[in-house]
Amino acid sequence: MATASPAADGGRGRPWEGGLVSWPPAPPLTLPWTWMGPSWGQHPGEIIEFPILKLNGRTMEIESTFHMYVQPVVHPQLTPFCTELTGIIQAMVDGQPSLQQVLERVDEWMAKEGLLDPNVKSIFVTCGDWDLKVMLPGQCQYLGLPVADYFKQWINLKKAYSFAMGCWPKNGLLDMNKGLSLQHIGRPHSGIGQSLHISPWQLDDCKNIANIMKTLAYRGFIFKQTSKPF
């Protein structure tokens, strides 16, 4: 997801990168995630981009992609800072579906991908807790929208990395890539990579998360839920 949102980290704000893993009794493991970027000085925050990627747990390769921009309704005009951070311009969100419509399409995509099968366990993977603990439920509460159960549990990739590597990635994806000797791919703080001059399918923060997870998994790290039950 990408958001136009108030600061969420000591008044400074931080972007959000996230994802989902799922697995049936026999793999494959799949991994979708979303990304959000904050825009200072607006309340409530609003999601403006909603991408999800799905990975095969055996190959750790991307199998499917969901991506939509979201029309903000409380603050229809994006701030200059939001555009500078994310590369998302006003024309990209004007006339796009509302968050309610996007969440409905997410549910349809999840069903099509088999992620709602009761025999398939799934859990989101996020780069931090704020996005699924505060941002998404907060906006849904403001708009009177239900939050699907699959958004209520997740793995914080920062915590997983710290368990595996013994140090906390203060600068998020940049530190995790550096610690794993991975090159940062694409434009930071964009869900799928589209910006003023970047192809929507260019590698970006979402795919950096996939790379980090793939590397940790290949090193033998076992991912476990880090969020507490709602």
PDB file of all heavy atoms in Angstrom, residues 60-93:
ATOM      1  N   MET A  60      10.674 -19.475  -4.323  1.00  0.00           N
ATOM      2  CA  MET A  60      10.750 -18.101  -3.844  1.00  0.00           C
ATOM      3  C   MET A  60      10.701 -17.093  -4.982  1.00  0.00           C
ATOM      4  O   MET A  60      11.238 -15.996  -4.902  1.00  0.00           O
ATOM      5  CB  MET A  60      12.012 -17.894  -2.998  1.00  0.00           C
ATOM      6  CG  MET A  60      12.083 -18.761  -1.751  1.00  0.00           C
ATOM      7  SD  MET A  60      10.699 -18.477  -0.621  1.00  0.00           S
ATOM      8  CE  MET A  60      11.148 -16.911   0.090  1.00  0.00           C
ATOM      9  N   GLU A  61      10.050 -17.476  -6.077  1.00  0.00           N
ATOM     10  CA  GLU A  61       9.865 -16.569  -7.209  1.00  0.00           C
ATOM     11  C   GLU A  61       8.451 -15.999  -7.181  1.00  0.00           C
ATOM     12  O   GLU A  61       7.525 -16.627  -6.656  1.00  0.00           O
ATOM     13  CB  GLU A  61      10.110 -17.301  -8.534  1.00  0.00           C
ATOM     14  CG  GLU A  61      11.508 -17.873  -8.686  1.00  0.00           C
ATOM     15  CD  GLU A  61      12.588 -16.800  -8.663  1.00  0.00           C
ATOM     16  OE1 GLU A  61      12.306 -15.670  -9.130  1.00  0.00           O
ATOM     17  OE2 GLU A  61      13.691 -17.092  -8.192  1.00  0.00           O
ATOM     18  N   ILE A  62       8.286 -14.818  -7.778  1.00  0.00           N
ATOM     19  CA  ILE A  62       6.980 -14.157  -7.805  1.00  0.00           C
ATOM     20  C   ILE A  62       6.046 -14.921  -8.733  1.00  0.00           C
ATOM     21  O   ILE A  62       6.372 -15.199  -9.885  1.00  0.00           O
ATOM     22  CB  ILE A  62       7.118 -12.699  -8.272  1.00  0.00           C
ATOM     23  CG1 ILE A  62       7.948 -11.903  -7.269  1.00  0.00           C
ATOM     24  CG2 ILE A  62       5.747 -12.052  -8.458  1.00  0.00           C
ATOM     25  CD1 ILE A  62       8.340 -10.518  -7.749  1.00  0.00           C
ATOM     26  N   GLU A  63       4.865 -15.260  -8.223  1.00  0.00           N
ATOM     27  CA  GLU A  63       3.864 -15.979  -9.011  1.00  0.00           C
ATOM     28  C   GLU A  63       2.732 -15.080  -9.477  1.00  0.00           C
ATOM     29  O   GLU A  63       2.133 -15.329 -10.521  1.00  0.00           O
ATOM     30  CB  GLU A  63       3.260 -17.116  -8.178  1.00  0.00           C
ATOM     31  CG  GLU A  63       4.178 -18.275  -7.942  1.00  0.00           C
ATOM     32  CD  GLU A  63       3.449 -19.456  -7.338  1.00  0.00           C
ATOM     33  OE1 GLU A  63       2.464 -19.251  -6.593  1.00  0.00           O
ATOM     34  OE2 GLU A  63       3.864 -20.596  -7.615  1.00  0.00           O
ATOM     35  N   SER A  64       2.406 -14.067  -8.696  1.00  0.00           N
ATOM     36  CA  SER A  64       1.252 -13.246  -9.036  1.00  0.00           C
ATOM     37  C   SER A  64       1.401 -11.866  -8.405  1.00  0.00           C
ATOM     38  O   SER A  64       2.078 -11.721  -7.377  1.00  0.00           O
ATOM     39  CB  SER A  64      -0.042 -13.908  -8.555  1.00  0.00           C
ATOM     40  OG  SER A  64      -1.180 -13.147  -8.924  1.00  0.00           O
ATOM     41  N   THR A  65       0.785 -10.875  -9.030  1.00  0.00           N
ATOM     42  CA  THR A  65       0.864  -9.500  -8.552  1.00  0.00           C
ATOM     43  C   THR A  65      -0.525  -8.874  -8.531  1.00  0.00           C
ATOM     44  O   THR A  65      -1.300  -9.032  -9.468  1.00  0.00           O
ATOM     45  CB  THR A  65       1.765  -8.645  -9.466  1.00  0.00           C
ATOM     46  OG1 THR A  65       3.071  -9.209  -9.513  1.00  0.00           O
ATOM     47  CG2 THR A  65       1.845  -7.210  -8.981  1.00  0.00           C
ATOM     48  N   PHE A  66      -0.815  -8.181  -7.455  1.00  0.00           N
ATOM     49  CA  PHE A  66      -2.008  -7.325  -7.369  1.00  0.00           C
ATOM     50  C   PHE A  66      -1.517  -5.898  -7.187  1.00  0.00           C
ATOM     51  O   PHE A  66      -0.654  -5.634  -6.347  1.00  0.00           O
ATOM     52  CB  PHE A  66      -2.886  -7.731  -6.179  1.00  0.00           C
ATOM     53  CG  PHE A  66      -4.074  -6.828  -5.977  1.00  0.00           C
ATOM     54  CD1 PHE A  66      -5.302  -7.140  -6.545  1.00  0.00           C
ATOM     55  CD2 PHE A  66      -3.965  -5.660  -5.229  1.00  0.00           C
ATOM     56  CE1 PHE A  66      -6.402  -6.303  -6.373  1.00  0.00           C
ATOM     57  CE2 PHE A  66      -5.051  -4.814  -5.048  1.00  0.00           C
ATOM     58  CZ  PHE A  66      -6.266  -5.136  -5.622  1.00  0.00           C
ATOM     59  N   HIS A  67      -2.060  -4.981  -7.981  1.00  0.00           N
ATOM     60  CA  HIS A  67      -1.649  -3.587  -7.825  1.00  0.00           C
ATOM     61  C   HIS A  67      -2.767  -2.646  -8.253  1.00  0.00           C
ATOM     62  O   HIS A  67      -3.291  -2.753  -9.353  1.00  0.00           O
ATOM     63  CB  HIS A  67      -0.403  -3.285  -8.653  1.00  0.00           C
ATOM     64  CG  HIS A  67       0.076  -1.870  -8.499  1.00  0.00           C
ATOM     65  ND1 HIS A  67      -0.335  -0.851  -9.328  1.00  0.00           N
ATOM     66  CD2 HIS A  67       0.912  -1.300  -7.601  1.00  0.00           C
ATOM     67  CE1 HIS A  67       0.231   0.282  -8.952  1.00  0.00           C
ATOM     68  NE2 HIS A  67       0.993   0.038  -7.907  1.00  0.00           N
ATOM     69  N   MET A  68      -3.116  -1.738  -7.360  1.00  0.00           N
ATOM     70  CA  MET A  68      -4.092  -0.700  -7.687  1.00  0.00           C
ATOM     71  C   MET A  68      -3.723   0.583  -6.959  1.00  0.00           C
ATOM     72  O   MET A  68      -3.193   0.542  -5.843  1.00  0.00           O
ATOM     73  CB  MET A  68      -5.517  -1.112  -7.265  1.00  0.00           C
ATOM     74  CG  MET A  68      -6.074  -2.307  -7.990  1.00  0.00           C
ATOM     75  SD  MET A  68      -7.829  -2.597  -7.606  1.00  0.00           S
ATOM     76  CE  MET A  68      -8.567  -1.231  -8.526  1.00  0.00           C
ATOM     77  N   TYR A  69      -3.992   1.721  -7.600  1.00  0.00           N
ATOM     78  CA  TYR A  69      -3.944   2.988  -6.900  1.00  0.00           C
ATOM     79  C   TYR A  69      -5.305   3.238  -6.265  1.00  0.00           C
ATOM     80  O   TYR A  69      -6.318   2.676  -6.698  1.00  0.00           O
ATOM     81  CB  TYR A  69      -3.572   4.123  -7.855  1.00  0.00           C
ATOM     82  CG  TYR A  69      -2.136   4.045  -8.310  1.00  0.00           C
ATOM     83  CD1 TYR A  69      -1.804   3.620  -9.588  1.00  0.00           C
ATOM     84  CD2 TYR A  69      -1.103   4.375  -7.433  1.00  0.00           C
ATOM     85  CE1 TYR A  69      -0.490   3.527  -9.995  1.00  0.00           C
ATOM     86  CE2 TYR A  69       0.222   4.283  -7.833  1.00  0.00           C
ATOM     87  CZ  TYR A  69       0.520   3.860  -9.111  1.00  0.00           C
ATOM     88  OH  TYR A  69       1.829   3.759  -9.498  1.00  0.00           O
ATOM     89  N   VAL A  70      -5.316   4.063  -5.229  1.00  0.00           N
ATOM     90  CA  VAL A  70      -6.521   4.293  -4.442  1.00  0.00           C
ATOM     91  C   VAL A  70      -6.825   5.787  -4.416  1.00  0.00           C
ATOM     92  O   VAL A  70      -5.933   6.600  -4.139  1.00  0.00           O
ATOM     93  CB  VAL A  70      -6.351   3.784  -2.995  1.00  0.00           C
ATOM     94  CG1 VAL A  70      -7.666   3.892  -2.230  1.00  0.00           C
ATOM     95  CG2 VAL A  70      -5.833   2.354  -2.984  1.00  0.00           C
ATOM     96  N   GLN A  71      -8.072   6.145  -4.690  1.00  0.00           N
ATOM     97  CA  GLN A  71      -8.493   7.543  -4.628  1.00  0.00           C
ATOM     98  C   GLN A  71      -8.682   7.979  -3.182  1.00  0.00           C
ATOM     99  O   GLN A  71      -9.544   7.443  -2.485  1.00  0.00           O
ATOM    100  CB  GLN A  71      -9.814   7.718  -5.377  1.00  0.00           C
ATOM    101  CG  GLN A  71     -10.463   9.086  -5.207  1.00  0.00           C
ATOM    102  CD  GLN A  71      -9.740  10.174  -5.958  1.00  0.00           C
ATOM    103  OE1 GLN A  71      -9.650  10.141  -7.187  1.00  0.00           O
ATOM    104  NE2 GLN A  71      -9.212  11.152  -5.234  1.00  0.00           N
ATOM    105  N   PRO A  72      -7.882   8.919  -2.680  1.00  0.00           N
ATOM    106  CA  PRO A  72      -8.117   9.421  -1.319  1.00  0.00           C
ATOM    107  C   PRO A  72      -9.402  10.248  -1.289  1.00  0.00           C
ATOM    108  O   PRO A  72      -9.693  10.974  -2.241  1.00  0.00           O
ATOM    109  CB  PRO A  72      -6.881  10.275  -1.031  1.00  0.00           C
ATOM    110  CG  PRO A  72      -6.366  10.688  -2.377  1.00  0.00           C
ATOM    111  CD  PRO A  72      -6.725   9.575  -3.321  1.00  0.00           C
ATOM    112  N   VAL A  73     -10.157  10.134  -0.225  1.00  0.00           N
ATOM    113  CA  VAL A  73     -11.460  10.805  -0.173  1.00  0.00           C
ATOM    114  C   VAL A  73     -11.500  11.932   0.851  1.00  0.00           C
ATOM    115  O   VAL A  73     -12.221  12.914   0.668  1.00  0.00           O
ATOM    116  CB  VAL A  73     -12.593   9.795   0.112  1.00  0.00           C
ATOM    117  CG1 VAL A  73     -12.726   8.808  -1.042  1.00  0.00           C
ATOM    118  CG2 VAL A  73     -12.366   9.047   1.425  1.00  0.00           C
ATOM    119  N   VAL A  74     -10.740  11.814   1.934  1.00  0.00           N
ATOM    120  CA  VAL A  74     -10.738  12.869   2.949  1.00  0.00           C
ATOM    121  C   VAL A  74      -9.850  14.022   2.492  1.00  0.00           C
ATOM    122  O   VAL A  74     -10.205  15.200   2.628  1.00  0.00           O
ATOM    123  CB  VAL A  74     -10.260  12.329   4.311  1.00  0.00           C
ATOM    124  CG1 VAL A  74     -10.313  13.435   5.371  1.00  0.00           C
ATOM    125  CG2 VAL A  74     -11.120  11.150   4.753  1.00  0.00           C
ATOM    126  N   HIS A  75      -8.687  13.690   1.964  1.00  0.00           N
ATOM    127  CA  HIS A  75      -7.754  14.681   1.419  1.00  0.00           C
ATOM    128  C   HIS A  75      -7.487  14.313  -0.041  1.00  0.00           C
ATOM    129  O   HIS A  75      -6.495  13.647  -0.349  1.00  0.00           O
ATOM    130  CB  HIS A  75      -6.451  14.695   2.212  1.00  0.00           C
ATOM    131  CG  HIS A  75      -6.623  14.943   3.672  1.00  0.00           C
ATOM    132  ND1 HIS A  75      -6.945  16.186   4.176  1.00  0.00           N
ATOM    133  CD2 HIS A  75      -6.540  14.122   4.737  1.00  0.00           C
ATOM    134  CE1 HIS A  75      -7.048  16.114   5.494  1.00  0.00           C
ATOM    135  NE2 HIS A  75      -6.810  14.872   5.853  1.00  0.00           N
ATOM    136  N   PRO A  76      -8.361  14.725  -0.963  1.00  0.00           N
ATOM    137  CA  PRO A  76      -8.225  14.293  -2.365  1.00  0.00           C
ATOM    138  C   PRO A  76      -6.937  14.758  -3.036  1.00  0.00           C
ATOM    139  O   PRO A  76      -6.479  14.126  -3.981  1.00  0.00           O
ATOM    140  CB  PRO A  76      -9.447  14.921  -3.040  1.00  0.00           C
ATOM    141  CG  PRO A  76     -10.408  15.218  -1.933  1.00  0.00           C
ATOM    142  CD  PRO A  76      -9.567  15.538  -0.739  1.00  0.00           C
ATOM    143  N   GLN A  77      -6.357  15.867  -2.551  1.00  0.00           N
ATOM    144  CA  GLN A  77      -5.150  16.401  -3.182  1.00  0.00           C
ATOM    145  C   GLN A  77      -3.904  15.874  -2.478  1.00  0.00           C
ATOM    146  O   GLN A  77      -3.745  16.025  -1.264  1.00  0.00           O
ATOM    147  CB  GLN A  77      -5.166  17.937  -3.138  1.00  0.00           C
ATOM    148  CG  GLN A  77      -6.285  18.563  -3.953  1.00  0.00           C
ATOM    149  CD  GLN A  77      -6.158  18.243  -5.438  1.00  0.00           C
ATOM    150  OE1 GLN A  77      -5.069  18.355  -6.024  1.00  0.00           O
ATOM    151  NE2 GLN A  77      -7.248  17.847  -6.055  1.00  0.00           N
ATOM    152  N   LEU A  78      -3.009  15.255  -3.237  1.00  0.00           N
ATOM    153  CA  LEU A  78      -1.744  14.796  -2.688  1.00  0.00           C
ATOM    154  C   LEU A  78      -0.858  15.999  -2.371  1.00  0.00           C
ATOM    155  O   LEU A  78      -0.877  17.003  -3.078  1.00  0.00           O
ATOM    156  CB  LEU A  78      -1.020  13.883  -3.684  1.00  0.00           C
ATOM    157  CG  LEU A  78      -1.764  12.643  -4.169  1.00  0.00           C
ATOM    158  CD1 LEU A  78      -0.857  11.830  -5.090  1.00  0.00           C
ATOM    159  CD2 LEU A  78      -2.250  11.802  -3.010  1.00  0.00           C
ATOM    160  N   THR A  79      -0.082  15.878  -1.310  1.00  0.00           N
ATOM    161  CA  THR A  79       0.853  16.949  -0.965  1.00  0.00           C
ATOM    162  C   THR A  79       2.102  16.833  -1.831  1.00  0.00           C
ATOM    163  O   THR A  79       2.444  15.747  -2.321  1.00  0.00           O
ATOM    164  CB  THR A  79       1.258  16.872   0.515  1.00  0.00           C
ATOM    165  OG1 THR A  79       1.982  15.653   0.727  1.00  0.00           O
ATOM    166  CG2 THR A  79       0.026  16.913   1.424  1.00  0.00           C
ATOM    167  N   PRO A  80       2.821  17.935  -2.025  1.00  0.00           N
ATOM    168  CA  PRO A  80       4.087  17.861  -2.782  1.00  0.00           C
ATOM    169  C   PRO A  80       5.063  16.872  -2.171  1.00  0.00           C
ATOM    170  O   PRO A  80       5.778  16.175  -2.894  1.00  0.00           O
ATOM    171  CB  PRO A  80       4.614  19.300  -2.710  1.00  0.00           C
ATOM    172  CG  PRO A  80       3.387  20.140  -2.551  1.00  0.00           C
ATOM    173  CD  PRO A  80       2.454  19.326  -1.686  1.00  0.00           C
ATOM    174  N   PHE A  81       5.089  16.786  -0.838  1.00  0.00           N
ATOM    175  CA  PHE A  81       6.013  15.846  -0.203  1.00  0.00           C
ATOM    176  C   PHE A  81       5.668  14.408  -0.563  1.00  0.00           C
ATOM    177  O   PHE A  81       6.552  13.582  -0.821  1.00  0.00           O
ATOM    178  CB  PHE A  81       6.013  16.011   1.311  1.00  0.00           C
ATOM    179  CG  PHE A  81       6.879  14.991   1.987  1.00  0.00           C
ATOM    180  CD1 PHE A  81       8.251  15.174   2.039  1.00  0.00           C
ATOM    181  CD2 PHE A  81       6.348  13.829   2.516  1.00  0.00           C
ATOM    182  CE1 PHE A  81       9.071  14.216   2.625  1.00  0.00           C
ATOM    183  CE2 PHE A  81       7.156  12.880   3.100  1.00  0.00           C
ATOM    184  CZ  PHE A  81       8.518  13.073   3.153  1.00  0.00           C
ATOM    185  N   CYS A  82       4.382  14.082  -0.558  1.00  0.00           N
ATOM    186  CA  CYS A  82       3.959  12.719  -0.886  1.00  0.00           C
ATOM    187  C   CYS A  82       4.410  12.350  -2.286  1.00  0.00           C
ATOM    188  O   CYS A  82       4.932  11.257  -2.517  1.00  0.00           O
ATOM    189  CB  CYS A  82       2.436  12.611  -0.755  1.00  0.00           C
ATOM    190  SG  CYS A  82       1.777  10.973  -1.110  1.00  0.00           S
ATOM    191  N   THR A  83       4.241  13.262  -3.231  1.00  0.00           N
ATOM    192  CA  THR A  83       4.667  13.001  -4.605  1.00  0.00           C
ATOM    193  C   THR A  83       6.183  12.868  -4.691  1.00  0.00           C
ATOM    194  O   THR A  83       6.702  11.991  -5.378  1.00  0.00           O
ATOM    195  CB  THR A  83       4.181  14.123  -5.530  1.00  0.00           C
ATOM    196  OG1 THR A  83       2.749  14.086  -5.591  1.00  0.00           O
ATOM    197  CG2 THR A  83       4.736  13.959  -6.938  1.00  0.00           C
ATOM    198  N   GLU A  84       6.898  13.723  -3.963  1.00  0.00           N
ATOM    199  CA  GLU A  84       8.355  13.657  -3.980  1.00  0.00           C
ATOM    200  C   GLU A  84       8.853  12.332  -3.420  1.00  0.00           C
ATOM    201  O   GLU A  84       9.783  11.717  -3.943  1.00  0.00           O
ATOM    202  CB  GLU A  84       8.944  14.810  -3.174  1.00  0.00           C
ATOM    203  CG  GLU A  84      10.467  14.821  -3.147  1.00  0.00           C
ATOM    204  CD  GLU A  84      11.011  15.960  -2.306  1.00  0.00           C
ATOM    205  OE1 GLU A  84      10.223  16.786  -1.808  1.00  0.00           O
ATOM    206  OE2 GLU A  84      12.246  16.017  -2.141  1.00  0.00           O
ATOM    207  N   LEU A  85       8.214  11.852  -2.348  1.00  0.00           N
ATOM    208  CA  LEU A  85       8.649  10.615  -1.700  1.00  0.00           C
ATOM    209  C   LEU A  85       8.325   9.391  -2.533  1.00  0.00           C
ATOM    210  O   LEU A  85       9.143   8.493  -2.696  1.00  0.00           O
ATOM    211  CB  LEU A  85       7.995  10.489  -0.322  1.00  0.00           C
ATOM    212  CG  LEU A  85       8.326   9.213   0.464  1.00  0.00           C
ATOM    213  CD1 LEU A  85       9.776   9.234   0.920  1.00  0.00           C
ATOM    214  CD2 LEU A  85       7.395   9.061   1.656  1.00  0.00           C
ATOM    215  N   THR A  86       7.110   9.337  -3.076  1.00  0.00           N
ATOM    216  CA  THR A  86       6.619   8.112  -3.707  1.00  0.00           C
ATOM    217  C   THR A  86       6.685   8.122  -5.221  1.00  0.00           C
ATOM    218  O   THR A  86       6.637   7.057  -5.843  1.00  0.00           O
ATOM    219  CB  THR A  86       5.154   7.854  -3.307  1.00  0.00           C
ATOM    220  OG1 THR A  86       4.328   8.877  -3.865  1.00  0.00           O
ATOM    221  CG2 THR A  86       4.998   7.835  -1.793  1.00  0.00           C
ATOM    222  N   GLY A  87       6.750   9.317  -5.836  1.00  0.00           N
ATOM    223  CA  GLY A  87       6.662   9.388  -7.285  1.00  0.00           C
ATOM    224  C   GLY A  87       5.236   9.317  -7.789  1.00  0.00           C
ATOM    225  O   GLY A  87       5.001   9.324  -8.996  1.00  0.00           O
ATOM    226  N   ILE A  88       4.271   9.230  -6.885  1.00  0.00           N
ATOM    227  CA  ILE A  88       2.867   9.156  -7.287  1.00  0.00           C
ATOM    228  C   ILE A  88       2.337  10.569  -7.482  1.00  0.00           C
ATOM    229  O   ILE A  88       2.376  11.393  -6.557  1.00  0.00           O
ATOM    230  CB  ILE A  88       2.027   8.407  -6.226  1.00  0.00           C
ATOM    231  CG1 ILE A  88       2.523   6.974  -6.091  1.00  0.00           C
ATOM    232  CG2 ILE A  88       0.545   8.428  -6.594  1.00  0.00           C
ATOM    233  CD1 ILE A  88       1.884   6.203  -4.945  1.00  0.00           C
ATOM    234  N   ILE A  89       1.842  10.875  -8.666  1.00  0.00           N
ATOM    235  CA  ILE A  89       1.303  12.190  -8.953  1.00  0.00           C
ATOM    236  C   ILE A  89      -0.215  12.154  -8.898  1.00  0.00           C
ATOM    237  O   ILE A  89      -0.840  11.088  -8.876  1.00  0.00           O
ATOM    238  CB  ILE A  89       1.778  12.700 -10.325  1.00  0.00           C
ATOM    239  CG1 ILE A  89       1.281  11.781 -11.444  1.00  0.00           C
ATOM    240  CG2 ILE A  89       3.302  12.814 -10.357  1.00  0.00           C
ATOM    241  CD1 ILE A  89       1.586  12.296 -12.841  1.00  0.00           C
ATOM    242  N   GLN A  90      -0.817  13.335  -8.876  1.00  0.00           N
ATOM    243  CA  GLN A  90      -2.265  13.446  -8.699  1.00  0.00           C
ATOM    244  C   GLN A  90      -3.045  12.647  -9.738  1.00  0.00           C
ATOM    245  O   GLN A  90      -4.041  12.003  -9.428  1.00  0.00           O
ATOM    246  CB  GLN A  90      -2.680  14.925  -8.758  1.00  0.00           C
ATOM    247  CG  GLN A  90      -4.108  15.196  -8.327  1.00  0.00           C
ATOM    248  CD  GLN A  90      -4.342  14.900  -6.847  1.00  0.00           C
ATOM    249  OE1 GLN A  90      -3.514  15.243  -6.011  1.00  0.00           O
ATOM    250  NE2 GLN A  90      -5.443  14.243  -6.544  1.00  0.00           N
ATOM    251  N   ALA A  91      -2.574  12.674 -10.976  1.00  0.00           N
ATOM    252  CA  ALA A  91      -3.295  11.981 -12.051  1.00  0.00           C
ATOM    253  C   ALA A  91      -3.358  10.473 -11.831  1.00  0.00           C
ATOM    254  O   ALA A  91      -4.251   9.806 -12.376  1.00  0.00           O
ATOM    255  CB  ALA A  91      -2.630  12.285 -13.395  1.00  0.00           C
ATOM    256  N   MET A  92      -2.424   9.926 -11.053  1.00  0.00           N
ATOM    257  CA  MET A  92      -2.419   8.481 -10.816  1.00  0.00           C
ATOM    258  C   MET A  92      -3.529   8.045  -9.871  1.00  0.00           C
ATOM    259  O   MET A  92      -3.943   6.883  -9.907  1.00  0.00           O
ATOM    260  CB  MET A  92      -1.064   8.040 -10.243  1.00  0.00           C
ATOM    261  CG  MET A  92       0.089   8.172 -11.204  1.00  0.00           C
ATOM    262  SD  MET A  92       1.632   7.655 -10.402  1.00  0.00           S
ATOM    263  CE  MET A  92       2.808   7.940 -11.726  1.00  0.00           C
ATOM    264  N   VAL A  93      -3.992   8.949  -9.006  1.00  0.00           N
ATOM    265  CA  VAL A  93      -5.031   8.574  -8.047  1.00  0.00           C
ATOM    266  C   VAL A  93      -6.396   9.135  -8.400  1.00  0.00           C
ATOM    267  O   VAL A  93      -7.424   8.612  -7.957  1.00  0.00           O
ATOM    268  CB  VAL A  93      -4.650   8.999  -6.613  1.00  0.00           C
ATOM    269  CG1 VAL A  93      -3.390   8.277  -6.156  1.00  0.00           C
ATOM    270  CG2 VAL A  93      -4.466  10.505  -6.495  1.00  0.00           C
TER     271      VAL A  93
END
